[in-house]
Amino acid sequence: MKIGIDGRAAHWYRGTGIGTYTSQLINSLNSIDPINEYLIFEPENSKNSLNFKKNFSISYINSYTTDNFWDSIHIPGIINSTDMDIYHVPQNGVGLPKDLHCRKVITLHDIIPLKMPETVGERYLKIFNEEMEDIVKDCSGIITVSAFSQRDISEEFNYPIDKIFVTPLAAEDIYKPMDKKYCRSIIEKQYGIQDDFLLYVGGFSPRKNILGLIEAFSLLLKNKTPDLKLVVTGRHGKSYEIYKNRTIELGIESSIIFPGFIPLVDMPMLYNAALFLAYPSFYEGFGLPPLECMACGTPVIASNVTSLPEVLGDSAILINPHDVDELHAACVSLLEDTQLQNTLIRKGLERSFDFNWNKTASATLSAYESILNL
């Protein structure tokens, strides 16, 4: 097969789910496949330290960039379909050229703009509403990241479920158990976090249920552990003031830390330094942070809805994200029960081992072959 992949998100959006997915997929295909021919499209002037095999070629695209990824992803049609049997766009199909005559496949991670439109950015919502139906129709097949998303996509777009291929994500190799004391010392030095802390990792979208987490944490401070901190990572977007103001209203602003976006190099140490991760999201197509955290040997509390039970199994405490009291009770249990902590650490590590990027790449290759034979 001659396979083209839009690899720009790996450079433009590194540190996010789509950027991580694109980067790790390309890296792992390079690792496992010496046979098929690959043409990877990357931004002009991008630097790639990966040692590509001989069956990989790079084509640099001269395109503008803005502060908004979704504005930048549309480029002039410069891709020659005669060079490829199949062309893959990993970033939810956005930027898929219309004039290609090879097989086209997209990775559609989820359909959150349709299910929870109030929780996504205006530009992405506009693209999704105006273009996604045509993009899906134009695809020879779709790759997604969970069986939950597979069903969601099939039902929403009336797309044949046997043409939607599930390739689960994985934690990167950098996520592993480390010396807790060392990690805490680094996190204290870098971010000034001195006390024990619970951790949230992810965006500031309302669908992440950060308000619910703040409410549950306020109960925790009143009833159990007044010196505990909650660290809420993520870029300070539009919702930040809402969350910050709520901490002030509850009188707990000094106990909740908003350090902003955490560089990738620090994330393994942050996961290792935390007491546990709280991830009470209302909706996920996959949910990578809990898997990353478990790979570091740190327990997880997460939602019992959408894709998360499929990904986490019995290796985390699963709670109803709409029930603040249930989230609070789960936090209390995990803080007080050493046996529960150890059980979740063991199960979490075992569960994380079930997912790896080479498996993802292998499943993606199988999807390419199936799509070419449809």
Side-chain angles (χ1 to χ4, degrees):
M1 289 184 289
K2 294 183 178 180
I3 302 161
I5 301 176
D6 184 346
R8 291 173 297 160
H11 300 273
W12 287 352
Y13 235 41
R14 192 71 170 104
T16 69
I18 288 175
T20 297
Y21 167 74
T22 305
S23 172
Q24 291 300 309
L25 175 62
I26 292 171
N27 291 354
S28 296
L29 287 170
N30 180 60
S31 176
I32 70 168
D33 185 7
I35 298 173
N36 294 295
E37 296 180 32
Y38 291 87
L39 181 57
I40 310 299
F41 295 90
E42 297 191 352
E44 190 176 48
N45 300 322
S46 62
K47 296 180 180 179
N48 197 319
S49 59
L50 191 65
N51 184 21
F52 279 117
K53 294 176 180 174
K54 293 182 179 179
N55 54 321
F56 279 72
S57 300
I58 306 297
S59 179
Y60 293 99
I61 296 174
N62 181 11
S63 60
Y64 72 95
T65 59
T66 71
D67 290 336
N68 190 319
F69 174 76
W70 304 116
D71 288 332
S72 304
I73 201 66
H74 288 285
I75 60 170
I78 63 171
I79 299 172
N80 184 354
S81 57
T82 60
D83 293 336
M84 299 173 291
D85 297 314
I86 193 167
Y87 180 66
H88 182 190
V89 174
Q91 61 274 357
N92 291 325
V94 180
L96 182 70
K98 296 180 179 179
D99 56 351
L100 290 182
H101 300 291
C102 63
R103 295 294 178 99
K104 288 177 270 189
V105 59
I106 66 171
T107 299
L108 185 52
H109 298 255
D110 53 60
I111 55 170
I112 290 167
L114 299 180
K115 295 292 186 177
M116 302 184 73
E118 72 280 3
T119 69
V120 300
E122 293 180 5
R123 177 61 179 143
Y124 182 40
L125 180 61
K126 186 174 188 294
I127 291 173
F128 212 97
N129 286 338
E130 295 179 359
E131 301 181 26
M132 193 54 63
E133 186 174 354
D134 289 337
I135 289 172
V136 168
K137 286 180 180 178
D138 197 29
C139 289
S140 306
I142 293 173
I143 291 171
T144 194
V145 294
S146 66
F148 169 79
S149 283
Q150 181 191 44
R151 293 190 298 271
D152 240 9
I153 294 164
S154 178
E155 292 169 4
E156 189 67 35
F157 291 104
N158 193 28
Y159 196 88
I161 200 164
D162 60 348
K163 293 174 65 177
I164 306 174
F165 303 87
V166 178
T167 63
L169 308 182
E172 298 182 57
D173 292 342
I174 60 172
Y175 296 110
K176 56 189 176 183
M178 302 169 67
D179 182 86
K180 302 289 186 182
K181 289 184 179 179
Y182 169 77
C183 291
R184 289 194 60 163
S185 68
I186 296 298
I187 295 303
E188 180 179 349
K189 181 179 179 181
Q190 290 284 92
Y191 302 100
I193 303 170
Q194 298 179 345
D195 297 309
D196 289 340
F197 66 92
L198 317 184
L199 178 65
Y200 163 80
V201 171
F204 272 31
S205 166
R207 74 177 170 88
K208 298 293 189 176
N209 193 22
I210 295 173
L211 277 179
L213 177 57
I214 290 171
E215 299 286 345
F217 184 70
S218 71
L219 297 177
L220 204 60
L221 293 182
K222 290 176 183 177
N223 298 332
K224 291 292 178 183
T225 48
D227 295 330
L228 196 63
K229 296 293 189 293
L230 170 63
V231 176
V232 179
T233 71
R235 297 187 191 279
H236 292 180
K238 293 180 180 178
S239 300
Y240 168 70
E241 291 300 326
I242 297 173
Y243 304 143
K244 185 64 178 178
N245 288 339
R246 187 57 182 145
T247 70
I248 295 171
E249 291 168 0
L250 292 168
I252 59 173
E253 65 270 24
S254 63
S255 297
I256 300 187
I257 301 167
F258 296 93
F261 177 80
I262 304 296
L264 186 65
V265 66
D266 289 341
M267 283 305 304
M269 289 179 285
L270 189 65
Y271 281 131
N272 273 277
L275 295 179
F276 61 83
L277 176 79
Y279 199 77
S281 177
F282 292 126
Y283 190 106
E284 293 293 326
F286 185 83
L288 196 51
L291 202 61
E292 294 170 342
C293 190
M294 293 192 305
C296 291
T298 298
V300 170
I301 297 173
S303 299
N304 63 1
V305 297
T306 63
S307 64
L308 290 167
E310 173 188 342
V311 175
L312 304 179
D314 67 350
S315 59
I317 299 176
L318 300 181
I319 53 91
N320 177 358
H322 298 278
D323 190 333
V324 170
D325 290 332
E326 186 175 338
L327 176 54
H328 167 245
C331 292
V332 171
S333 296
L334 198 46
L335 287 171
E336 294 183 345
D337 190 336
T338 303
Q339 184 175 349
L340 177 61
Q341 294 169 14
N342 292 334
T343 297
L344 290 180
I345 289 170
R346 176 180 56 80
K347 285 187 173 183
L349 285 168
E350 291 172 354
R351 184 72 174 178
S352 69
F353 294 152
D354 290 339
F355 299 82
N356 69 69
W357 283 106
N358 283 352
K359 283 186 179 180
T360 305
S362 180
T364 302
L365 274 176
S366 296
Y368 292 158
E369 291 168 356
S370 297
I371 290 166
L372 281 176
N373 292 322
L374 288 173

